[in-house]
Amino acid sequence: MAQKVHPYIPNMVPEVQAEMLKVIGAKSIMELYSCIPEELQLKESLDLPPALTEYELRRHIEGILGKNTSTKEYINFLGAGCWQHFIPAVCDEINQRSEFLTAYAGEPYEDHGRFQALFEYQSLVAELVDMDVVNVPTFDWGQAAATAIRMAARITGRKKVLLARTVAPERSKIIINYGTPQLEFEFVQFDTTSGAMDLRDLQSKLTEDVAAVYFENPSYLGFIEAQGLEISKLLKANESLMVVGVDPISLGVLAPPSHYGADIVCGDLQPLGMHMNYSGGQAGFIATRNEEKFVHEYPSRLFGIVPTVNEGEYGFGDVAYERTSFAQREKGKESVGTQTALWGITAGVYLALLGPDGMQEVGQTIMQNSQYAVQQLNQVEGIKGSRLDSPFFKEFIVDFNQTGCNVEQINQRLIEKKVFGGKDLSQEFPEFGQSALFCVTEVHTKEDIDHLVQSIQEILTK
């Protein structure tokens, strides 16, 4: 069968392929795949659809995308790891500049502007979490948490990690998958009334081989863990490290984890200027004190500022580059791969734009809106606006157990009213029965919340 030459795929011209094969000493292209067992090789031709022209392909893709319903059309109360926040226009304006528009961190000889931008981002996040050292962003919160935990294990030389049962289930899976088989994981139970960590259970599991305890604050379930100092005391007595995951936009109104004993802080940058994207827009950060034992366990890049030979002039570059997987390759303590530097720059722009007063204002607005939503939901017969009795920030569990309806039915009916309801928790946390995790942020108006409450009222009375 004659081979077709595709204009978009290089080196498909038979004469070019023959010349390349001759240079490397191979008789055919298939010889290059001789290491693949016969039973794994596809023998027949691929049954591919006819090739589309560029115009036809564009129409096809746009037709598929046109079936989506976005948060521009519907009111959105979904959170659970990807949240709707206001994105100032300047964030997109700067992160779309050609010198920034890539996921890579660049090299010192050609990337001075990006190095400075990332240094500024690190400095701003460090101030927000009240730590000294912040890395170039990882892929997402899950990777940041997993890496932070592995750092803790290397620092302590221990192999066991305790995870709060209220950690986001998806994140727990990432952490356990990333740490296995070198690390052993066990969950610490929680109080189903408040959501708080069960300190008796924690203490019973704090053996001498525990490297760290990881919990999130605000938690995946929305509540604020108020026992940080007590947890820290227990861990310090056991010489274990405390790793805390945090939603950074909460830190305009809540104390950072460093203030109640966290040794390593991590989280997701998505609330700081990043749009909600399907399979994108996430970026994780890790922060520690400026101590050698912490700094040398970062597998990812860190950028610093140093004076040059000219007095009053400064340059920006890698700090302790030799410790990274980029330098050590297969001998590295941990492989990082591509880092989402673009989102770090975006978060830096957001934080610089808002400043301390702006972050406080956003946090206060979020808490006022979420409190109002719970108060109004509590007026609906059969509904408990907040299933847990602990304070919360922007997310809270709504209890539908007394309504006679399940969350799936309610959410489906809400879509008919152009509302995206809360995350169904019946599979992840069956102890809460028919409950859903709702998210309210600064983008929600009083009218939005009233529409949600009215819609639920109508659904339950029919």
Side-chain angles (χ1 to χ4, degrees):
M1 184 173 65
Q3 182 179 0
K4 293 182 180 179
V5 177
H6 197 287
Y8 296 163
I9 303 178
N11 303 323
M12 288 195 69
V13 178
E15 292 79 8
V16 174
Q17 290 185 352
E19 185 178 350
M20 294 173 70
L21 291 169
K22 182 179 179 181
V23 169
I24 63 176
K27 295 180 181 178
S28 68
I29 291 176
M30 286 307 298
E31 188 177 329
L32 302 177
Y33 302 102
S34 59
C35 60
I36 299 176
E38 283 279 331
E39 64 270 17
L40 298 181
Q41 295 182 26
L42 182 67
K43 302 300 182 180
E44 66 272 13
S45 299
L46 286 173
D47 184 18
L48 297 175
L52 301 177
T53 65
E54 185 174 340
Y55 173 68
E56 291 171 334
L57 181 60
R58 180 182 293 273
R59 285 194 61 176
H60 174 67
I61 297 298
E62 288 177 347
I64 294 174
L65 293 175
K67 297 178 181 179
N68 290 335
T69 301
S70 75
T71 53
K72 293 179 181 179
E73 304 161 74
Y74 284 28
I75 304 172
N76 173 46
F77 292 95
L78 275 170
C82 188
W83 308 274
Q84 188 175 3
H85 290 281
F86 176 70
I87 312 297
V90 69
C91 292
D92 293 333
E93 183 66 27
I94 292 179
N95 70 23
Q96 294 301 299
R97 290 181 63 90
S98 60
E99 62 266 43
F100 291 149
L101 192 53
T102 174
Y104 289 87
E107 297 301 331
Y109 51 79
E110 53 82 22
D111 231 354
H112 306 291
R114 189 178 306 150
F115 277 26
Q116 180 175 357
L118 287 167
F119 171 80
E120 302 294 353
Y121 142 75
Q122 292 174 172
S123 302
L124 288 161
V125 173
E127 185 174 349
L128 184 67
V129 300
D130 201 14
M131 283 289 198
D132 307 308
V133 181
V134 174
N135 67 327
V136 174
T138 61
F139 281 124
D140 59 11
W141 188 344
Q143 186 189 359
T147 295
I149 287 167
R150 290 189 70 112
M151 288 170 61
R154 292 194 294 270
I155 290 167
T156 60
R158 300 177 179 182
K159 301 298 183 184
K160 189 172 182 179
V161 176
L162 301 180
L163 304 176
R165 170 78 169 74
T166 52
V167 169
E170 181 183 88
R171 207 141 43 237
S172 295
K173 291 176 183 177
I174 293 171
I175 291 168
I176 294 171
N177 183 59
Y178 198 65
T180 305
Q182 290 88 353
L183 303 179
E184 177 189 345
F185 296 90
E186 188 173 2
F187 285 101
V188 179
Q189 297 305 314
F190 68 99
D191 183 343
T192 56
T193 302
S194 66
M197 189 184 298
D198 184 333
L199 296 189
R200 288 186 179 181
D201 190 45
L202 170 63
Q203 195 160 17
S204 70
K205 293 173 179 174
L206 269 180
T207 56
E208 61 182 12
D209 58 341
V210 172
V213 170
Y214 174 73
F215 65 94
E216 295 166 356
N217 201 18
S219 76
Y220 172 72
L221 298 178
F223 69 88
I224 296 169
E225 175 59 79
Q227 303 177 116
L229 288 173
E230 290 91 335
I231 295 169
S232 177
K233 287 178 183 177
L234 290 174
L235 297 188
K236 281 181 169 52
N238 198 59
E239 297 184 352
S240 303
L241 296 182
M242 186 161 112
V243 184
V244 181
V246 68
D247 176 355
I249 208 166
S250 71
L251 299 181
V253 290
L254 300 180
S258 56
H259 288 195
Y260 46 86
D263 298 291
I264 306 177
V265 179
C266 61
D268 204 308
L269 297 169
Q270 186 265 326
L272 307 181
M274 274 136 270
H275 296 276
M276 298 186 297
N277 293 320
Y278 189 76
S279 191
Q282 311 289 128
F285 72 88
I286 304 171
T288 64
R289 297 185 293 275
N290 185 22
E291 297 176 17
E292 188 173 342
K293 67 178 181 180
F294 289 108
V295 172
H296 280 278
E297 293 306 332
Y298 277 96
S300 45
R301 296 175 78 173
L302 306 170
F303 290 116
I305 183 172
V306 292
T308 70
V309 294
N310 298 321
E311 188 175 350
E313 183 181 79
Y314 295 88
F316 301 86
D318 284 283
V319 174
Y321 185 77
E322 69 280 357
R323 71 185 156 70
T324 67
S325 62
F326 300 98
Q328 297 188 24
R329 295 300 178 184
E330 72 277 4
K331 296 181 181 178
K333 299 172 182 175
E334 190 176 334
S335 180
V336 173
T338 303
Q339 295 171 304
T340 51
L342 180 66
W343 298 136
I345 293 170
T346 306
V349 172
Y350 183 92
L351 291 172
L353 182 67
L354 269 69
D357 291 341
M359 289 297 290
Q360 183 180 33
E361 184 179 345
V362 168
Q364 287 177 337
T365 302
I366 290 172
M367 293 193 77
Q368 288 168 356
N369 288 351
S370 60
Q371 291 288 336
Y372 175 75
V374 168
Q375 289 173 7
Q376 296 305 109
L377 286 165
N378 279 332
Q379 305 304 313
V380 180
E381 186 177 354
I383 286 182
K384 191 171 184 181
S386 179
R387 172 67 171 74
L388 302 175
D389 58 18
S390 293
F392 55 90
F393 178 55
K394 67 184 180 187
E395 292 178 282
F396 47 89
I397 302 174
V398 179
D399 189 332
F400 293 102
N401 283 293
Q402 303 303 315
T403 65
C405 297
N406 62 45
V407 173
E408 185 179 2
Q409 292 169 335
I410 293 169
N411 280 344
Q412 191 58 49
R413 295 287 304 280
L414 282 173
I415 288 175
E416 296 171 9
K417 296 178 180 292
K418 296 191 173 183
V419 175
F420 295 130
K423 169 74 178 294
D424 188 346
L425 295 176
S426 59
Q427 297 298 315
E428 295 176 343
F429 290 89
E431 55 265 56
F432 293 134
Q434 290 302 315
S435 296
L437 185 67
F438 279 72
C439 177
V440 174
T441 72
E442 77 281 6
V443 303
H444 293 99
T445 64
K446 178 179 181 295
E447 291 73 22
D448 292 338
I449 296 168
D450 289 344
H451 178 63
L452 168 68
V453 175
Q454 180 64 30
S455 296
I456 292 176
Q457 178 79 65
E458 293 173 358
I459 291 168
L460 297 181
T461 53
K462 287 185 178 180

